[in-house]
Coordinates of all heavy atoms in Angstrom, one line a residue:
M1 N 7.4 7.0 -3.3 CA 7.5 8.1 -4.3 C 6.2 8.8 -4.4 O 5.2 8.2 -4.5 CB 8.0 7.5 -5.7 CG 8.2 8.6 -6.7 SD 8.4 7.9 -8.4 CE 10.0 7.1 -8.1
A2 N 6.2 10.1 -4.4 CA 5.0 10.9 -4.4 C 4.4 10.9 -5.8 O 5.1 10.8 -6.8 CB 5.2 12.3 -4.0
F3 N 3.1 11.0 -5.9 CA 2.4 11.1 -7.1 C 2.5 12.5 -7.7 O 2.4 13.4 -7.0 CB 0.9 10.7 -6.9 CG 0.6 9.3 -7.1 CD1 1.1 8.3 -6.2 CD2 -0.2 8.8 -8.1 CE1 0.8 7.0 -6.4 CE2 -0.5 7.5 -8.3 CZ 0.0 6.6 -7.4
K4 N 2.7 12.6 -9.0 CA 2.7 13.9 -9.7 C 1.3 14.3 -10.0 O 1.0 15.5 -10.1 CB 3.6 13.8 -10.9 CG 5.0 13.6 -10.6 CD 5.9 13.6 -11.8 CE 7.4 13.4 -11.4 NZ 8.0 12.4 -12.1
N5 N 0.4 13.3 -10.3 CA -1.0 13.6 -10.7 C -1.7 13.9 -9.4 O -2.1 13.0 -8.6 CB -1.6 12.4 -11.4 CG -3.0 12.6 -11.8 OD1 -3.7 13.4 -11.2 ND2 -3.5 11.9 -12.8
R6 N -1.9 15.2 -9.1 CA -2.4 15.6 -7.8 C -3.9 15.2 -7.6 O -4.3 14.9 -6.5 CB -2.2 17.1 -7.6 CG -0.7 17.4 -7.6 CD -0.5 18.9 -7.4 NE -1.0 19.1 -6.0 CZ -0.4 20.0 -5.2 NH1 0.6 20.7 -5.6 NH2 -0.9 20.1 -4.0
N7 N -4.7 15.3 -8.7 CA -6.1 14.9 -8.6 C -6.2 13.4 -8.2 O -7.0 13.1 -7.3 CB -6.8 15.2 -9.9 CG -7.0 16.6 -10.1 OD1 -7.1 17.4 -9.2 ND2 -7.1 17.0 -11.4
L8 N -5.4 12.6 -8.9 CA -5.5 11.1 -8.5 C -5.0 10.9 -7.1 O -5.6 10.2 -6.3 CB -4.6 10.4 -9.5 CG -4.5 8.8 -9.3 CD1 -5.9 8.2 -9.3 CD2 -3.6 8.2 -10.3
A9 N -3.9 11.6 -6.7 CA -3.4 11.5 -5.4 C -4.4 11.8 -4.3 O -4.5 11.2 -3.3 CB -2.1 12.3 -5.3
R10 N -5.1 12.9 -4.6 CA -6.1 13.4 -3.6 C -7.2 12.4 -3.5 O -7.7 12.1 -2.4 CB -6.7 14.7 -4.0 CG -6.0 15.9 -3.3 CD -6.8 17.2 -3.5 NE -6.8 17.6 -4.9 CZ -5.9 18.4 -5.5 NH1 -4.9 18.9 -4.8 NH2 -6.0 18.7 -6.7
R11 N -7.6 11.8 -4.6 CA -8.7 10.8 -4.6 C -8.3 9.6 -3.9 O -9.1 9.0 -3.0 CB -9.1 10.5 -6.0 CG -10.3 9.6 -6.1 CD -11.0 9.6 -7.5 NE -10.1 9.4 -8.6 CZ -9.6 8.2 -9.0 NH1 -10.0 7.1 -8.4 NH2 -8.8 8.1 -10.0
I12 N -7.1 9.1 -4.1 CA -6.6 7.9 -3.4 C -6.5 8.1 -1.9 O -6.9 7.3 -1.1 CB -5.3 7.4 -4.1 CG1 -5.6 6.9 -5.5 CG2 -4.6 6.4 -3.2 CD1 -4.3 6.8 -6.3
A13 N -6.0 9.3 -1.6 CA -5.7 9.6 -0.1 C -7.0 9.8 0.7 O -6.9 9.9 1.9 CB -4.8 10.8 0.0
K14 N -8.1 9.9 0.0 CA -9.4 10.0 0.7 C -9.8 8.7 1.3 O -10.5 8.7 2.3 CB -10.5 10.5 -0.2 CG -10.5 12.0 -0.5 CD -11.6 12.4 -1.4 CE -11.5 13.9 -1.7 NZ -12.4 14.3 -2.7
D15 N -9.3 7.6 0.8 CA -9.6 6.3 1.4 C -8.9 6.1 2.7 O -7.8 6.7 2.9 CB -9.1 5.2 0.4 CG -9.9 5.1 -0.8 OD1 -11.1 5.6 -0.9 OD2 -9.4 4.5 -1.8
P16 N -9.4 5.3 3.6 CA -8.7 5.0 4.8 C -7.3 4.3 4.5 O -7.2 3.8 3.3 CB -9.6 4.0 5.5 CG -10.9 4.1 4.9 CD -10.7 4.6 3.5
C17 N -6.4 4.4 5.4 CA -5.1 3.7 5.1 C -5.3 2.3 4.7 O -6.0 1.5 5.3 CB -4.2 3.8 6.4 SG -2.7 2.9 6.2
S18 N -4.7 1.9 3.5 CA -4.9 0.6 3.0 C -4.3 -0.5 3.9 O -4.6 -1.6 3.7 CB -4.2 0.5 1.6 OG -4.7 1.5 0.7
W19 N -3.4 -0.1 4.8 CA -2.7 -1.1 5.6 C -3.4 -1.3 6.9 O -3.7 -2.4 7.3 CB -1.3 -0.6 5.8 CG -0.3 -1.7 5.9 CD1 0.3 -2.1 7.1 CD2 0.3 -2.5 4.9 NE1 1.1 -3.2 6.8 CE2 1.1 -3.4 5.5 CE3 0.1 -2.5 3.5 CZ2 1.8 -4.3 4.8 CZ3 0.8 -3.4 2.8 CH2 1.7 -4.3 3.4
C20 N -3.7 -0.2 7.7 CA -4.2 -0.3 9.0 C -5.6 0.2 9.1 O -6.2 0.1 10.2 CB -3.3 0.5 10.0 SG -3.4 2.3 9.9
G21 N -6.1 0.9 8.1 CA -7.5 1.3 8.2 C -7.7 2.7 8.8 O -8.8 3.1 9.0
W22 N -6.6 3.3 9.2 CA -6.7 4.6 9.9 C -7.3 5.6 9.0 O -6.9 5.7 7.8 CB -5.3 5.0 10.3 CG -5.2 6.1 11.3 CD1 -5.9 6.2 12.5 CD2 -4.4 7.3 11.3 NE1 -5.6 7.3 13.2 CE2 -4.7 8.0 12.4 CE3 -3.5 7.7 10.3 CZ2 -4.0 9.2 12.7 CZ3 -2.9 8.9 10.6 CH2 -3.1 9.7 11.8
K23 N -8.3 6.4 9.5 CA -8.9 7.4 8.7 C -9.0 8.7 9.3 O -9.6 9.6 8.8 CB -10.3 6.9 8.2 CG -11.2 6.4 9.2 CD -12.5 5.8 8.6 CE -13.3 5.2 9.7 NZ -14.4 4.4 9.2
A24 N -8.5 8.8 10.5 CA -8.6 10.1 11.3 C -7.6 11.1 10.8 O -7.9 12.3 10.8 CB -8.5 9.8 12.8
G25 N -6.5 10.6 10.4 CA -5.4 11.6 10.1 C -5.0 11.6 8.6 O -5.8 11.2 7.8
R26 N -3.9 12.1 8.4 CA -3.4 12.4 7.0 C -3.0 11.1 6.4 O -2.3 10.3 7.0 CB -2.3 13.3 7.1 CG -2.0 14.1 5.9 CD -1.1 15.3 6.1 NE -0.7 15.7 4.8 CZ 0.5 15.9 4.5 NH1 1.5 15.9 5.4 NH2 0.9 16.3 3.3
R27 N -3.3 10.9 5.1 CA -2.8 9.8 4.3 C -2.3 10.4 3.0 O -2.7 11.5 2.6 CB -3.9 8.8 4.0 CG -4.2 7.8 5.1 CD -5.4 8.2 5.9 NE -6.6 8.5 5.0 CZ -7.5 9.3 5.4 NH1 -7.4 10.0 6.5 NH2 -8.5 9.6 4.6
H28 N -1.5 9.6 2.3 CA -1.0 10.0 1.0 C -1.1 8.9 0.0 O -1.1 7.7 0.4 CB 0.3 10.7 1.1 CG 1.4 9.7 1.2 ND1 1.8 9.2 2.5 CD2 2.3 9.1 0.3 CE1 2.8 8.3 2.3 NE2 3.1 8.3 1.0
A29 N -1.1 9.2 -1.2 CA -1.1 8.2 -2.3 C 0.4 7.7 -2.4 O 1.3 8.5 -2.7 CB -1.6 8.7 -3.6
A30 N 0.6 6.4 -2.3 CA 1.9 5.9 -2.4 C 1.9 4.9 -3.6 O 1.0 4.1 -3.8 CB 2.3 5.1 -1.2
H31 N 3.0 4.9 -4.4 CA 3.2 3.9 -5.4 C 3.4 2.5 -4.8 O 4.2 2.4 -3.8 CB 4.4 4.2 -6.3 CG 4.2 5.3 -7.2 ND1 4.4 6.6 -6.8 CD2 3.8 5.4 -8.5 CE1 4.2 7.4 -7.8 NE2 3.8 6.7 -8.9
I32 N 2.8 1.5 -5.3 CA 3.2 0.1 -5.0 C 4.5 -0.2 -5.6 O 5.5 -0.7 -5.0 CB 2.1 -0.9 -5.4 CG1 0.8 -0.6 -4.6 CG2 2.6 -2.3 -5.1 CD1 -0.4 -1.3 -5.1
I33 N 4.6 0.1 -6.9 CA 5.8 0.0 -7.7 C 6.3 1.4 -8.2 O 5.6 2.0 -9.0 CB 5.6 -1.0 -8.9 CG1 5.1 -2.3 -8.4 CG2 6.8 -1.1 -9.8 CD1 4.5 -3.2 -9.5
D34 N 7.4 1.8 -7.6 CA 7.8 3.2 -7.9 C 8.0 3.4 -9.4 O 7.7 4.5 -9.9 CB 9.1 3.5 -7.2 CG 8.9 3.7 -5.7 OD1 7.8 3.8 -5.3 OD2 9.9 3.8 -5.0
E35 N 8.5 2.4 -10.1 CA 8.8 2.5 -11.6 C 7.5 2.4 -12.4 O 7.6 2.6 -13.6 CB 9.7 1.4 -12.0 CG 11.0 1.4 -11.3 CD 11.0 0.4 -10.1 OE1 10.0 0.4 -9.4 OE2 12.0 -0.2 -9.8
G36 N 6.4 2.1 -11.8 CA 5.2 1.8 -12.5 C 4.4 3.1 -12.8 O 4.8 4.2 -12.3
P37 N 3.3 3.0 -13.5 CA 2.5 4.2 -13.9 C 1.7 4.7 -12.7 O 1.5 4.0 -11.7 CB 1.6 3.7 -15.0 CG 1.5 2.2 -14.7 CD 2.8 1.8 -14.1
E38 N 1.3 5.9 -12.8 CA 0.4 6.5 -11.8 C -1.0 6.1 -12.2 O -1.8 6.9 -12.9 CB 0.6 8.1 -11.8 CG 1.9 8.5 -11.3 CD 2.0 9.9 -10.9 OE1 1.0 10.7 -11.1 OE2 3.1 10.3 -10.3
R39 N -1.4 5.0 -11.7 CA -2.8 4.4 -11.9 C -3.3 3.9 -10.6 O -2.5 3.6 -9.7 CB -2.7 3.3 -12.9 CG -2.2 3.6 -14.2 CD -3.3 4.3 -15.1 NE -2.8 5.1 -16.2 CZ -2.4 4.6 -17.3 NH1 -2.4 3.3 -17.5 NH2 -2.0 5.3 -18.3
D40 N -4.6 3.8 -10.5 CA -5.3 3.3 -9.3 C -4.7 1.9 -8.8 O -4.5 1.7 -7.7 CB -6.8 3.1 -9.5 CG -7.5 4.4 -9.6 OD1 -7.0 5.4 -10.1 OD2 -8.6 4.5 -9.1
W41 N -4.4 1.1 -9.8 CA -4.0 -0.3 -9.5 C -2.5 -0.3 -8.9 O -2.1 -1.2 -8.3 CB -4.1 -1.2 -10.7 CG -3.3 -0.8 -11.9 CD1 -3.7 -0.2 -13.0 CD2 -1.9 -1.1 -12.1 NE1 -2.7 0.0 -13.9 CE2 -1.6 -0.5 -13.4 CE3 -0.8 -1.7 -11.4 CZ2 -0.3 -0.6 -13.9 CZ3 0.4 -1.7 -11.9 CH2 0.7 -1.2 -13.1
N42 N -1.8 0.8 -9.0 CA -0.5 0.9 -8.6 C -0.4 1.9 -7.4 O 0.7 2.4 -7.1 CB 0.5 1.4 -9.7 CG 1.9 1.2 -9.3 OD1 2.3 0.3 -8.6 ND2 2.7 2.1 -9.8
A43 N -1.5 2.0 -6.6 CA -1.5 3.0 -5.6 C -2.1 2.5 -4.3 O -3.0 1.6 -4.3 CB -2.3 4.2 -6.0
L44 N -1.6 2.9 -3.2 CA -2.2 2.6 -1.9 C -2.4 4.0 -1.2 O -1.5 4.9 -1.3 CB -1.2 1.8 -1.0 CG -1.0 0.4 -1.5 CD1 0.2 -0.2 -0.6 CD2 -2.2 -0.5 -1.4
S45 N -3.4 4.1 -0.4 CA -3.6 5.2 0.5 C -2.9 4.8 1.8 O -3.2 3.8 2.4 CB -5.0 5.5 0.8 OG -5.2 6.4 1.8
L46 N -1.8 5.5 2.2 CA -1.1 5.1 3.4 C -0.9 6.3 4.4 O -0.7 7.4 4.0 CB 0.3 4.6 3.0 CG 0.4 3.3 2.2 CD1 1.8 3.0 1.8 CD2 -0.2 2.2 3.0
C47 N -1.1 5.9 5.7 CA -0.8 6.9 6.8 C 0.7 7.0 6.9 O 1.4 6.1 6.4 CB -1.5 6.5 8.1 SG -0.8 5.1 8.9
P48 N 1.2 7.9 7.6 CA 2.7 8.1 7.7 C 3.4 6.8 8.3 O 4.4 6.4 7.8 CB 2.9 9.3 8.6 CG 1.6 10.1 8.4 CD 0.5 9.1 8.2
N49 N 2.8 6.2 9.3 CA 3.4 5.1 9.9 C 3.5 3.9 8.9 O 4.5 3.3 8.8 CB 2.7 4.6 11.2 CG 2.9 5.5 12.4 OD1 3.9 6.3 12.4 ND2 2.1 5.4 13.3
C50 N 2.4 3.6 8.3 CA 2.3 2.5 7.4 C 3.2 2.8 6.1 O 3.7 1.8 5.6 CB 0.9 2.2 7.0 SG -0.1 1.5 8.4
S51 N 3.3 4.0 5.8 CA 4.1 4.3 4.6 C 5.6 4.0 4.9 O 6.2 3.4 4.1 CB 4.0 5.9 4.3 OG 4.8 6.2 3.3
T52 N 6.0 4.3 6.1 CA 7.4 3.9 6.5 C 7.6 2.4 6.5 O 8.5 1.9 6.0 CB 7.7 4.5 7.9 OG1 7.6 5.9 7.8 CG2 9.1 4.1 8.3
V53 N 6.6 1.7 7.1 CA 6.7 0.2 7.2 C 6.7 -0.4 5.8 O 7.5 -1.3 5.5 CB 5.6 -0.3 8.1 CG1 5.5 -1.9 8.0 CG2 5.7 0.1 9.5
F54 N 5.8 0.1 4.9 CA 5.7 -0.4 3.6 C 7.0 -0.2 2.8 O 7.6 -1.2 2.2 CB 4.6 0.3 2.9 CG 4.3 -0.3 1.5 CD1 3.8 -1.6 1.3 CD2 4.5 0.5 0.4 CE1 3.6 -2.1 0.0 CE2 4.3 0.0 -0.9 CZ 3.8 -1.3 -1.1
D55 N 7.6 1.0 2.9 CA 8.8 1.3 2.1 C 10.0 0.6 2.7 O 10.9 0.1 1.9 CB 9.0 2.8 2.1 CG 8.1 3.5 1.1 OD1 7.4 2.9 0.3 OD2 8.1 4.8 1.2
E56 N 10.1 0.6 4.0 CA 11.4 0.2 4.6 C 11.4 -1.2 5.0 O 12.5 -1.8 5.1 CB 11.6 1.1 5.9 CG 11.5 2.6 5.7 CD 12.5 3.1 4.7 OE1 13.6 2.5 4.6 OE2 12.2 4.1 4.1
I57 N 10.3 -1.8 5.2 CA 10.3 -3.2 5.7 C 9.6 -4.2 4.7 O 10.2 -5.2 4.3 CB 9.5 -3.3 7.1 CG1 10.1 -2.3 8.1 CG2 9.5 -4.8 7.6 CD1 11.5 -2.6 8.5
V58 N 8.3 -3.9 4.3 CA 7.5 -4.8 3.6 C 8.1 -5.0 2.2 O 8.3 -6.2 1.8 CB 6.1 -4.4 3.5 CG1 5.3 -5.3 2.6 CG2 5.5 -4.4 4.9
R59 N 8.3 -4.0 1.4 CA 8.8 -4.1 0.1 C 10.2 -4.9 0.0 O 10.3 -5.8 -0.8 CB 8.9 -2.8 -0.7 CG 7.5 -2.3 -1.0 CD 7.4 -1.2 -2.1 NE 8.4 -0.2 -1.9 CZ 8.4 0.9 -2.7 NH1 7.4 1.1 -3.6 NH2 9.3 1.8 -2.5
P60 N 11.2 -4.5 0.8 CA 12.4 -5.2 0.8 C 12.3 -6.7 1.2 O 12.9 -7.5 0.6 CB 13.3 -4.4 1.7 CG 12.7 -3.1 1.9 CD 11.3 -3.3 1.7
K61 N 11.4 -7.0 2.2 CA 11.2 -8.3 2.6 C 10.5 -9.2 1.5 O 10.9 -10.3 1.3 CB 10.5 -8.4 3.9 CG 11.4 -8.1 5.1 CD 10.7 -8.4 6.4 CE 11.6 -8.1 7.5 NZ 12.2 -9.4 8.1
L62 N 9.5 -8.6 0.9 CA 8.8 -9.2 -0.2 C 9.8 -9.5 -1.4 O 9.8 -10.6 -2.0 CB 7.7 -8.4 -0.7 CG 6.4 -8.5 0.1 CD1 5.3 -7.5 -0.5 CD2 5.8 -9.9 0.1
Y63 N 10.6 -8.5 -1.7 CA 11.6 -8.7 -2.7 C 12.5 -9.9 -2.4 O 12.8 -10.7 -3.3 CB 12.4 -7.4 -2.9 CG 13.4 -7.4 -4.1 CD1 13.0 -7.0 -5.3 CD2 14.7 -7.9 -3.9 CE1 13.8 -7.1 -6.4 CE2 15.5 -7.9 -5.0 CZ 15.1 -7.5 -6.2 OH 16.0 -7.6 -7.3
K64 N 13.0 -9.9 -1.2 CA 13.9 -11.0 -0.8 C 13.3 -12.4 -0.9 O 13.8 -13.3 -1.4 CB 14.5 -10.7 0.6 CG 15.6 -11.7 1.0 CD 16.1 -11.2 2.3 CE 17.2 -12.1 2.8 NZ 17.8 -11.7 4.1
A65 N 12.1 -12.4 -0.3 CA 11.3 -13.7 -0.3 C 11.0 -14.2 -1.7 O 11.1 -15.3 -2.0 CB 10.1 -13.6 0.6
L66 N 10.5 -13.3 -2.5 CA 10.1 -13.7 -3.9 C 11.3 -14.0 -4.7 O 11.2 -14.9 -5.5 CB 9.3 -12.5 -4.5 CG 7.9 -12.3 -3.9 CD1 7.3 -11.0 -4.4 CD2 6.9 -13.4 -4.2
T67 N 12.4 -13.3 -4.5 CA 13.6 -13.7 -5.3 C 14.1 -15.1 -4.9 O 14.4 -15.9 -5.7 CB 14.7 -12.6 -5.0 OG1 14.2 -11.3 -5.4 CG2 16.0 -13.0 -5.7
K68 N 14.1 -15.4 -3.6 CA 14.5 -16.7 -3.1 C 13.6 -17.8 -3.6 O 13.9 -18.9 -3.8 CB 14.6 -16.7 -1.6 CG 15.9 -16.0 -1.1 CD 16.1 -16.2 0.4 CE 17.3 -15.4 0.8 NZ 18.6 -16.0 0.4
F69 N 12.3 -17.4 -3.8 CA 11.3 -18.3 -4.3 C 11.5 -18.6 -5.8 O 11.0 -19.5 -6.4 CB 9.9 -17.8 -4.0 CG 8.8 -18.7 -4.4 CD1 8.6 -19.9 -3.7 CD2 7.9 -18.5 -5.5 CE1 7.5 -20.7 -4.0 CE2 6.9 -19.3 -5.8 CZ 6.7 -20.5 -5.0
G70 N 12.2 -17.7 -6.5 CA 12.5 -17.9 -7.9 C 11.8 -16.8 -8.8 O 11.9 -16.9 -10.0
A71 N 11.1 -15.9 -8.2 CA 10.4 -14.9 -9.0 C 11.5 -14.0 -9.7 O 12.5 -13.7 -9.1 CB 9.5 -14.0 -8.1
M72 N 11.2 -13.6 -10.9 CA 12.1 -12.8 -11.7 C 11.3 -11.5 -12.1 O 10.1 -11.5 -12.2 CB 12.7 -13.5 -12.8 CG 13.5 -14.7 -12.4 SD 13.9 -15.9 -13.7 CE 14.5 -15.0 -15.0
G73 N 12.1 -10.5 -12.5 CA 11.5 -9.3 -13.0 C 10.8 -8.4 -12.0 O 10.0 -7.6 -12.3
L74 N 11.2 -8.6 -10.8 CA 10.6 -7.8 -9.7 C 11.1 -6.3 -9.8 O 12.2 -6.1 -10.3 CB 11.0 -8.4 -8.3 CG 10.5 -9.8 -8.1 CD1 11.0 -10.3 -6.8 CD2 9.0 -9.8 -8.0
P75 N 10.3 -5.4 -9.3 CA 10.7 -4.0 -9.4 C 12.0 -3.7 -8.6 O 12.1 -4.2 -7.4 CB 9.5 -3.2 -8.7 CG 8.4 -4.2 -8.6 CD 9.0 -5.6 -8.6
K76 N 12.9 -3.0 -9.2 CA 14.2 -2.7 -8.5 C 13.9 -1.8 -7.3 O 14.7 -1.9 -6.3 CB 15.1 -1.9 -9.5 CG 15.6 -2.7 -10.6 CD 16.9 -3.4 -10.3 CE 17.5 -4.1 -11.5 NZ 17.1 -5.5 -11.5
S77 N 12.9 -1.1 -7.3 CA 12.6 -0.2 -6.1 C 12.3 -1.0 -4.9 O 12.3 -0.5 -3.8 CB 11.4 0.8 -6.5 OG 10.3 0.1 -6.7
W78 N 11.9 -2.3 -5.1 CA 11.6 -3.1 -3.9 C 12.9 -3.7 -3.3 O 12.8 -4.2 -2.2 CB 10.7 -4.3 -4.3 CG 9.3 -3.9 -4.6 CD1 8.8 -2.7 -4.9 CD2 8.2 -4.8 -4.6 NE1 7.5 -2.8 -5.1 CE2 7.1 -4.0 -4.9 CE3 8.1 -6.1 -4.3 CZ2 5.8 -4.6 -5.0 CZ3 6.8 -6.7 -4.3 CH2 5.7 -6.0 -4.7
S79 N 14.0 -3.6 -4.0 CA 15.2 -4.4 -3.5 C 15.8 -3.8 -2.3 O 16.5 -4.4 -1.6 CB 16.2 -4.5 -4.7 OG 16.6 -3.2 -5.1
K80 N 15.6 -2.5 -2.1 CA 16.2 -1.8 -1.0 C 15.2 -0.9 -0.3 O 14.4 -0.3 -1.0 CB 17.4 -1.0 -1.4 CG 18.6 -1.8 -1.7 CD 19.8 -0.9 -1.8 CE 21.1 -1.7 -1.5 NZ 22.2 -0.9 -1.1
D81 N 15.4 -0.7 1.0 CA 14.6 0.3 1.6 C 15.1 1.7 1.2 O 16.2 1.8 0.7 CB 14.7 0.2 3.1 CG 16.1 0.3 3.6 OD1 16.9 -0.7 3.6 OD2 16.5 1.4 4.0
N82 N 14.2 2.6 1.3 CA 14.6 4.0 0.7 C 15.4 4.8 1.6 O 16.2 5.6 1.2 CB 13.3 4.7 0.4 CG 12.5 4.1 -0.7 OD1 13.1 3.5 -1.6 ND2 11.2 4.3 -0.7
K83 N 15.3 4.6 2.9 CA 15.9 5.6 3.8 C 16.7 4.9 5.0 O 17.7 5.5 5.4 CB 14.9 6.4 4.5 CG 14.1 7.2 3.5 CD 12.8 7.8 4.2 CE 11.8 8.2 3.1 NZ 10.6 7.3 3.1
M84 N 16.3 3.8 5.5 CA 16.8 3.3 6.8 C 17.9 2.3 6.6 O 18.8 2.4 5.8 CB 15.7 2.8 7.7 CG 14.8 4.0 8.1 SD 13.4 3.6 9.1 CE 13.5 1.9 9.5
S85 N 17.8 1.2 7.3 CA 18.8 0.2 7.4 C 19.0 -0.6 6.2 O 18.1 -0.7 5.3 CB 18.6 -0.7 8.6 OG 17.3 -1.4 8.3
D86 N 20.1 -1.3 6.1 CA 20.4 -2.2 4.9 C 20.0 -3.6 5.4 O 20.5 -4.1 6.3 CB 21.9 -2.1 4.6 CG 22.2 -3.0 3.5 OD1 21.3 -3.4 2.7 OD2 23.4 -3.4 3.4
L87 N 19.0 -4.1 4.7 CA 18.4 -5.4 5.0 C 19.1 -6.6 4.3 O 18.8 -7.7 4.5 CB 16.9 -5.5 4.7 CG 16.1 -4.5 5.6 CD1 14.6 -4.6 5.1 CD2 16.2 -4.9 7.0
S88 N 20.1 -6.2 3.4 CA 20.7 -7.3 2.7 C 21.6 -8.1 3.6 O 22.2 -7.7 4.5 CB 21.6 -6.7 1.6 OG 22.6 -5.9 2.1
E89 N 21.5 -9.4 3.4 CA 22.3 -10.4 4.2 C 23.0 -11.3 3.3 O 22.5 -11.7 2.3 CB 21.4 -11.2 5.1 CG 20.7 -10.3 6.1 CD 19.5 -11.0 6.8 OE1 19.5 -12.2 6.7 OE2 18.7 -10.3 7.3
Ligands
ZN1 ZN1 -1.8 3.0 8.3

């Protein structure tokens, strides 16, 4: 989910990609928790590739693993990928 606070988004996206360290190309500020506030602690600077992996693979897998471990109250936005395949089994 894109940040509405453009100044904060620009500041976060100046950092190298939080996932792969890429700093040559474009990055954007991504929410860690979509339902959460627009704050530094809830943001990652991500390149386009890592943004897709984070949204479509990492968050749903973390949600599944943490749920099976017994964690409760996890963000609903982590339960499913946003665009691609259905990982539910
Ligand atoms: Zn990256």
Side-chain angles (χ1 to χ4, degrees):
M1 182 187 295
F3 269 65
K4 291 181 180 130
N5 182 334
R6 299 184 65 144
N7 288 333
L8 179 59
R10 264 193 293 272
R11 185 162 50 80
I12 290 165
K14 282 182 182 171
D15 290 340
C17 176
S18 302
W19 211 258
C20 72
W22 195 50
K23 53 188 173 188
R26 201 164 167 231
R27 279 100 50 209
H28 75 277
H31 286 85
I32 297 171
I33 299 166
D34 287 349
E35 303 91 324
E38 293 198 353
R39 299 279 161 77
D40 287 37
W41 60 262
N42 191 30
L44 294 171
S45 171
L46 292 176
C47 73
N49 286 341
C50 292
S51 179
T52 300
V53 171
F54 184 68
D55 284 349
E56 310 299 332
I57 307 294
V58 174
R59 290 198 312 188
K61 283 191 177 254
L62 280 175
Y63 185 89
K64 187 173 180 180
L66 290 169
T67 299
K68 287 188 181 286
F69 187 70
M72 295 164 50
L74 297 172
K76 293 272 186 265
S77 61
W78 286 23
S79 65
K80 282 194 156 198
D81 59 277
N82 292 331
K83 301 167 200 108
M84 295 180 1
S85 62
D86 181 22
L87 295 176
S88 62
E89 296 165 17

